[in-house]
Amino acid sequence: MSEDQSTTTSSRRRVLEIDALTLQFGGLTALDDVTFHIEEGEILGLIGPNGAGKTTCFNAITGIYRPTRGDIRFEGTSIAGHKRFQITQLGVARTFQNIRLFRSMTALENVLVGADAKHSTGMASALFRLPKHRREEREGHDRAMELLAFMGLQKRADELAANLSYGDQRRLEIARAMATEPKLICLDEPAAGFNPAEKAQLMELIRRVRDQGYTVLLIEHDMKLVMGVTDRIVVLEFGRKIAEGTPAEIRDNPAVIAAYLGVDEEDAS
Amino acid sequence: MNFDFLFNNFAELTVTGLAFGAIYALIALGYTMVYGVLQLINFAHSEVFMYGTFAALWTTMLLVGDTDVSTLRGIGVLLCSLVAAMAMSATIALLLERFAYRPLLKRNAPRLIALISAIGASFVLAELMGLRDRVAAWFGLDDNLSEYVSGARINRSMPSVLENKQLFPIGDYQVTSVDVLVIVSAIAMMVALDQFVRRSKMGRGIRATAQDPETAALMGVNATRAVQMTFLLGGLMAGAAAFLYMLKIETTKFDVGFLLGVKAFTAAVLGGIGNLRGALVGGLILGVAENWGSALFGSEWRDVVAFVLLVVILLFRPTGILGESLGKARA
Amino acid sequence: MSKTPSVKGITSSFGSRVAGLPKPAKIGMWIALAVFAYALPLLEPPFISPPGTDFGGVLFTVTIYMLVALGLNIVVGYAGLLDLGYVGFYAVGAYTAAILTTFHANWPLLLALPFAVLASTVSGILLGAPTLRVRGDYLAIVTLGFGEIIRLVALNTEWLGASKGINDIARPPGVELFEIPHLNWDSGTPLLDFNDTTTFIEFGVLDQIPYYWMGLTVVIIVLFADKLIKDSRVGRAWEATREDEDVAELMGVPTFRFKLLAFATGAFIGGLAGALYASRQSFINPLSFLLLFSIMFLAAVVIGGQGNRWGVLVGAFLVAYLPERFREFTDFRVLVFGAALMLLAIFRPEGLLPPRRTVRAKQAAAEIEALEEGADGEETSRV
């Protein structure tokens, strides 16, 4: 039923297709036959109660876990079983629920590491300052400063990541992910720990990220937020997909309301 | 490769290998317990052992002198030096915990920093023993203690206390009383430790801390006490190992710990680090493998056998033969 | 911990003063420093010049430690891989040079050097490829095992000279151009002493100063290379891997490849240092490659401040020079440096001279603040 809805919403190109994805750890099934896709240029929300398998799903997409069954296709080619750095180089980037920056590197260097994903400077180029090194360094630096400015962090460029405020660290993580020039950017609860005003700002920011041409996959707890920013929503519960559709459809879906026991329903209305 | 030598001396190589292996296993317990609880390689544990050998040596020198002793008195002397060795090693282990580890654990330092601290502590302890004549001189004690502190950088031999009797033959080899004593008492110590960790309240605390320090603390386990206990038990076992080593080898030196330490660590990893029974299995296998290997390739390659074995295990089966689990040991 | 502010205060004020100079002045200052470094053994300054031993020889040892520390710093400081068997690579370099120049062939040193370095680099790759996947502290023990295996193999193999070692290792080729007099301080004031001269450049038995010049030159070259590599994608990849390997991998860094590269680079420099040492010494045996040296090298890196190339140079200087200057304490050097390792790990794990990022970050923030004073804050939100 949900399949129909999604196919009707648009006929845009599918960036990512999750196909009957199943993940088992020992006897535990973390994801059970989950199927959904993300279209180019949309913001897809992935929601569900705690332990529903959202982050596990992220981990499978970014290559941390290998699917037990099923397939993950990025722009039509299967990436299940690819190495993590290869998936990133193909064009999938992510942030982390609990911030994981390179703490003793500066903000700028953090973003540069992301930009380096598309570079190939090796020992020889660096050692002899070959044109390739100089070109990539200049491009990477320009792009990184641009992204820091976009996040409002250019003044903090030379500050150690560890010394940034909590909100700046969250934004820096997004900048670092964007620097890898991904087609799909996966944000894992980017608003965690924010107050309502900051959350609203962040949602605005996410929209602007999308407007720059990125496709966004967003995990978020706060229903209000998700409803406000996403084009479509996929709902997981106990590792299964229980609903998929536009925010309005999800809001009225009885299965979703049941899963959230009405608590987040209040938030959403 | 000298297969004939291996086959002709198979019984002797195996029995003495088991005796060495039992000593490795006792030392390995210290590595395995600390790793199980703190996930740290206690690099300085080798010096805990080394100080035990000197405690055994000095006690025996003190009680025996140059005279022959009766069998009864000899047994008394040996018991005294066993107790002295265990006390010495336990003290050093506790000092290590207090000064080299606890400050780092308190502020959650990275594991490599803790390892560097342990390496430093290890060299400090070894060098203090290697410079004991100078240290004694600072305190003006070199005249009184010259017998004990002289030859600080060379091998010192233990006076023989009891005659090493030939007990019974296995194949062509006459098994000696020392062989039997070493193997039997090492295994007895290990069984006692195993039972203690499995059954006592303190043992439960150690296992709980190994499994999940935070939950254990919430459940009322005093983590600092549990860690101290771990070092204490490891030290006691290393002291017993030191005593048995002095019975078997009869000489020691300030830097004797390094090689024994690496081998014991190998034994711990071989059996599965964190696993008490694994330490025994690993120690015995290593002791025998080393003896067979040195028979095959020549005794000068003896230590290389141990190192190569270590590298190979870490590469191919880093969880060891019995798997890693101090926390999972069942009560 | 309590001493931290004062040390940092000094370094930062010095650092900011240097950073504030115009470029020609900066270059001039570095050249002056380099000239002083080259001239140091000729000046034979009282007190600094160790009594009773050849100052040039001591300084050569210092440069070898500096080389080794720079190499080990790449492995430990940049990439965060604890290597306790670094002396193994040093030994491979030294033995390869020895075998090729005298024991099994008669190559000139300059031809043997590339092969010595190649051999140690290859040994680094062969050791690293399987081991860099194991846990960090296991890696420390595996490398320790490797270092000992190399030494024991050398000790037990006739083809490598066994315990007797190898004699008559080739010296570098010299061109004897002119004599340079030393200073003599015996009268209290410095005088040129034409009876005590060094031949430029003769690699002889008695006068070690030309070796020091060679060592210093190599150190300067490696220092430049280190800076070029560090300020590039490679250096950033190393640091990201050290900080958080999983995240680095997820940000597109092939971490295993870069760890192997760090290992190989470290082995390269270690092998180079070993070969130069063998050439100066002209004689090596397995006793030159004890585990103790691995620990001394590590002490140099940790004491100075791992991750900071100037820090590890200072550390190397302390570890190599102090025992030579205060020979009466030579017996205590392992004790002292062991204690230093332990105390630094506990009280100041970042070493005497930690990487100066924090300082730089603060300066930059202040500068931007000053520049944008009065300007509107709109810019921050614009794309």
Side-chain angles (χ1 to χ4, degrees):
Chain A
M1 41 145 206
S2 44
E3 275 300 306
D4 302 357
Q5 289 156 0
S6 59
T7 43
T8 51
T9 40
S10 82
S11 54
R12 281 184 292 187
R13 208 156 58 90
R14 295 181 171 193
V15 175
L16 187 80
E17 291 165 292
I18 309 281
D19 186 7
L21 179 63
T22 300
L23 250 140
Q24 288 169 330
F25 302 105
L28 188 88
T29 304
L31 287 178
D32 188 3
D33 201 20
V34 173
T35 300
F36 65 91
H37 68 268
I38 306 170
E39 286 163 17
E40 196 165 27
E42 74 173 343
I43 302 179
L44 180 77
L46 186 61
I47 66 170
N50 273 330
K54 294 165 296 188
T55 300
T56 310
C57 193
F58 258 40
N59 287 346
I61 294 170
T62 50
I64 296 174
Y65 301 141
R66 184 187 274 266
T68 315
R69 276 189 302 280
D71 199 6
I72 303 169
R73 283 186 300 275
F74 180 70
E75 301 200 301
T77 52
S78 173
I79 54 170
H82 273 52
K83 293 210 169 87
R84 290 170 291 176
F85 72 88
Q86 291 171 330
I87 293 175
T88 310
Q89 289 174 349
L90 280 173
V92 181
R94 68 172 290 174
T95 65
F96 301 87
Q97 195 175 336
N98 44 341
I99 302 173
R100 289 175 77 175
L101 290 165
F102 305 120
R103 294 174 59 81
S104 67
M105 297 171 79
T106 65
L108 176 63
E109 286 170 327
N110 267 274
V111 182
L112 282 173
V113 170
D116 284 337
K118 287 282 183 240
H119 295 163
S120 58
T121 295
M123 204 68 156
S125 298
L127 207 48
F128 301 110
R129 290 294 189 249
L130 298 181
K132 180 157 118 194
H133 165 87
R134 278 186 261 156
R135 193 188 65 241
E136 291 188 346
E137 249 347 70
R138 197 176 52 241
E139 286 170 3
H141 195 270
D142 291 350
R143 178 74 183 131
M145 286 313 286
E146 198 183 325
L147 284 169
L148 286 173
F150 177 60
M151 292 292 159
L153 290 170
Q154 77 273 45
K155 278 193 200 172
R156 305 254 93 84
D158 255 349
E159 185 64 83
L160 293 190
N163 296 349
L164 295 176
S165 71
Y166 181 80
D168 284 350
Q169 292 195 359
R170 283 250 175 247
R171 279 186 284 275
L172 179 57
E173 262 211 338
I174 300 176
R176 182 178 66 180
M178 287 170 75
T180 65
E181 293 178 29
K183 299 196 179 68
L184 173 69
I185 182 163
C186 304
L187 306 176
D188 195 346
E189 296 199 27
F194 278 12
N195 63 32
E198 289 173 320
K199 278 185 182 176
Q201 276 178 1
L202 185 78
M203 287 309 131
E204 182 50 40
L205 185 76
I206 292 174
R207 222 177 265 125
R208 283 197 285 135
V209 169
R210 188 261 310 270
D211 294 345
Q212 292 200 347
Y214 299 94
T215 305
V216 180
L217 174 58
L218 172 70
I219 293 184
E220 187 47 68
H221 244 38
D222 188 327
M223 282 293 251
K224 200 175 188 170
L225 226 99
V226 176
M227 295 294 170
V229 75
T230 52
D231 299 313
R232 282 190 311 129
I233 294 175
V234 171
V235 189
L236 294 181
E237 189 194 19
F238 300 124
R240 288 202 186 82
K241 185 175 84 173
I242 59 167
E244 177 175 351
T246 62
E249 289 164 347
I250 294 299
R251 186 175 324 191
D252 300 331
N253 188 317
V256 178
I257 297 169
Y260 275 82
L261 284 169
V263 178
D264 286 295
E265 173 49 351
E266 278 165 31
D267 276 353
S269 54
Chain B
M1 276 188 268
N2 195 341
F3 283 103
D4 285 349
F5 186 77
L6 176 63
F7 290 132
N8 293 339
N9 299 278
F10 193 78
E12 175 174 5
L13 290 166
T14 308
V15 172
T16 54
L18 287 174
F20 275 116
I23 293 171
Y24 296 152
L26 276 178
I27 309 173
L29 288 171
Y31 288 104
T32 226
M33 287 180 63
V34 171
Y35 199 93
V37 173
L38 297 173
Q39 277 77 54
L40 288 178
I41 298 173
N42 182 7
F43 196 89
H45 190 62
S46 47
E47 312 320 320
V48 170
F49 164 82
M50 181 271 285
Y51 274 74
T53 61
F54 276 95
L57 169 73
W58 291 335
T59 312
T60 315
M61 286 166 70
L62 187 70
L63 297 179
V64 175
D66 299 328
T67 54
D68 285 338
V69 288
S70 65
T71 311
L72 196 62
R73 179 136 177 249
I75 291 173
V77 169
L78 289 184
L79 278 177
C80 284
S81 55
L82 170 66
V83 170
M86 289 175 77
M88 173 71 108
S89 293
T91 309
I92 298 289
L94 287 177
L95 288 174
L96 266 178
E97 190 275 329
R98 177 67 192 81
F99 293 105
Y101 285 111
R102 205 185 296 171
L104 291 167
L105 295 175
K106 260 189 193 155
R107 56 154 216 263
N108 257 327
R111 275 152 60 180
L112 290 188
I113 294 290
L115 185 54
I116 288 172
S117 170
I119 291 167
S122 167
F123 276 80
V124 168
L125 286 169
E127 284 300 308
L128 279 178
M129 185 55 85
L131 296 166
R132 60 184 181 275
D133 44 352
R134 313 280 195 93
V135 177
W138 288 339
F139 293 105
L141 294 169
D142 43 336
D143 290 339
N144 303 334
L145 296 176
S146 65
E147 195 189 342
Y148 300 97
V149 299
S150 61
R153 293 194 94 79
I154 57 171
N155 268 321
R156 296 297 310 270
S157 300
M158 177 125 133
S160 88
V161 180
L162 290 179
E163 190 193 345
N164 190 4
K165 288 201 185 75
Q166 298 189 335
L167 295 183
F168 54 86
I170 295 180
D172 298 340
Y173 178 61
Q174 288 287 335
V175 177
T176 66
S177 49
V178 167
D179 291 329
V180 173
L181 186 64
V182 169
I183 296 172
V184 169
S185 46
I187 292 177
M189 299 279 311
M190 260 176 283
V191 170
L193 178 74
D194 193 60
Q195 289 304 310
F196 177 81
V197 171
R198 272 156 206 269
R199 298 199 191 286
S200 74
K201 182 155 177 279
M202 198 64 230
R204 254 199 314 278
I206 291 176
R207 280 184 291 126
T209 311
Q211 225 168 48
D212 185 342
E214 280 167 29
T215 314
L218 289 173
M219 294 297 140
V221 176
N222 182 336
T224 311
R225 276 289 305 279
V227 170
Q228 265 181 332
M229 200 65 190
T230 309
F231 274 85
L232 176 68
L233 290 172
L236 289 173
M237 294 299 136
F243 168 76
L244 296 175
Y245 177 87
M246 291 307 282
L247 276 188
K248 178 95 186 120
I249 307 291
E250 298 182 332
T251 66
T252 185
K253 198 175 149 198
F254 76 102
D255 61 1
V256 77
F258 170 68
L259 204 52
L260 267 284
V262 171
K263 288 181 182 175
F265 180 77
T266 308
V269 176
L270 184 56
I273 198 154
N275 186 323
L276 297 182
R277 294 179 183 181
L280 177 62
V281 174
L284 295 181
I285 290 179
L286 177 63
V288 172
E290 208 179 57
N291 259 9
W292 291 351
S294 65
L296 278 181
F297 305 107
S299 58
E300 71 272 22
W301 294 101
R302 180 187 185 88
D303 299 334
V304 180
V305 173
F307 284 118
V308 170
L309 197 60
L310 171 68
V311 173
V312 170
I313 304 157
L314 285 178
L315 294 187
F316 295 106
R317 194 174 162 79
T319 51
I321 295 170
L322 298 189
E324 321 173 336
S325 59
L326 185 57
K328 286 181 205 121
R330 284 200 199 90
Chain C
M1 281 290 193
S2 57
K3 283 167 255 137
T4 313
S6 65
V7 176
K8 257 191 193 142
I10 293 163
T11 52
S12 69
S13 66
F14 176 72
S16 58
R17 243 175 262 163
V18 172
L21 290 173
K23 200 163 187 190
K26 238 188 276 183
I27 292 173
M29 209 192 71
W30 286 121
I31 290 174
L33 190 68
V35 169
F36 174 74
Y38 277 102
L40 191 59
L42 301 174
L43 303 177
E44 295 192 6
F47 186 72
I48 294 172
S49 174
T53 41
D54 177 26
F55 192 30
V58 172
L59 286 176
F60 173 78
T61 310
V62 169
T63 60
I64 289 295
Y65 267 77
M66 283 179 166
L67 261 186
V68 169
L70 284 171
L72 188 57
N73 183 45
I74 290 175
V75 183
V76 179
Y78 295 168
L81 305 163
L82 189 52
D83 184 348
L84 294 181
Y86 198 66
V87 77
F89 303 127
Y90 187 70
V92 170
Y95 269 97
T96 311
I99 287 168
L100 291 180
T101 60
T102 160
F103 212 52
H104 293 293
N106 264 318
W107 297 11
L109 183 74
L110 291 184
L111 184 60
L113 262 186
F115 285 87
V117 170
L118 183 72
S120 66
T121 311
V122 169
S123 72
I125 292 171
L126 290 182
L127 176 68
T131 57
L132 286 170
R133 294 182 201 276
V134 304
R135 282 181 281 184
D137 43 4
Y138 275 21
L139 177 71
I141 305 297
V142 174
T143 51
L144 186 146
F146 163 78
E148 282 296 281
I149 290 173
I150 295 282
R151 185 179 66 84
L152 290 168
V153 166
L155 183 65
N156 294 328
T157 310
E158 280 303 326
W159 195 80
L160 293 169
S163 61
K164 295 186 306 295
I166 298 175
N167 281 310
D168 295 326
I169 299 164
R171 300 177 180 287
V175 270
E176 289 159 42
L177 296 176
F178 48 84
E179 305 274 313
I180 305 175
H182 291 208
L183 285 187
N184 190 324
W185 296 77
D186 286 346
S187 59
T189 47
L191 297 170
L192 284 182
D193 183 350
F194 290 94
N195 297 321
D196 183 9
T197 60
T198 291
T199 310
F200 186 90
I201 310 165
E202 182 199 20
F203 293 98
V205 184
L206 292 176
D207 191 354
Q208 310 271 359
I209 292 175
Y211 289 99
Y212 163 66
W213 287 335
M214 174 181 74
L216 185 61
T217 309
V218 178
V219 166
I220 291 173
I221 293 169
V222 171
L223 205 50
F224 269 110
D226 182 83
K227 186 173 165 50
L228 292 174
I229 295 167
K230 178 76 190 309
D231 297 339
S232 78
R233 171 171 178 258
V234 178
R236 283 192 296 272
W238 283 339
E239 281 196 287
T241 306
R242 178 196 67 202
E243 288 292 300
D244 192 331
E245 191 170 338
D246 292 327
V247 176
E249 183 88 18
L250 284 167
M251 289 302 137
V253 179
T255 53
F256 176 75
R257 232 178 279 165
F258 276 101
K259 287 198 287 185
L260 193 58
L261 184 63
F263 225 62
T265 312
F268 178 100
I269 298 174
L272 179 63
L276 294 181
Y277 166 83
S279 165
R280 197 289 302 256
Q281 212 69 3
S282 118
F283 161 74
I284 53 171
N285 71 10
L287 288 177
S288 318
F289 308 101
L290 297 174
L291 169 85
L292 179 68
F293 291 101
S294 281
I295 302 300
M296 284 310 205
F297 299 157
L298 183 69
V301 171
V302 172
I303 289 172
Q306 37 177 319
N308 178 349
R309 61 181 79 86
W310 297 105
V312 303
L313 289 186
V314 170
F317 178 81
L318 293 177
V319 168
Y321 172 79
L322 288 183
E324 294 290 343
R325 174 61 187 82
F326 303 100
R327 286 199 86 91
E328 57 274 32
F329 296 113
T330 302
D331 291 348
F332 294 94
R333 86 190 155 135
V334 183
L335 181 66
V336 167
F337 290 119
L341 272 184
M342 190 176 134
L343 294 175
L344 281 165
I346 293 172
F347 294 108
R348 199 177 157 86
E350 69 274 28
L352 295 178
L353 286 180
R356 214 180 290 141
R357 274 228 189 74
T358 328
V359 183
R360 203 188 72 212
K362 277 185 193 127
Q363 278 167 14
E367 276 169 33
I368 292 173
E369 209 63 50
L371 279 174
E372 298 196 348
E373 194 80 12
D376 60 348
E378 277 302 288
E379 215 160 325
T380 49
S381 56
R382 226 194 56 220
V383 180

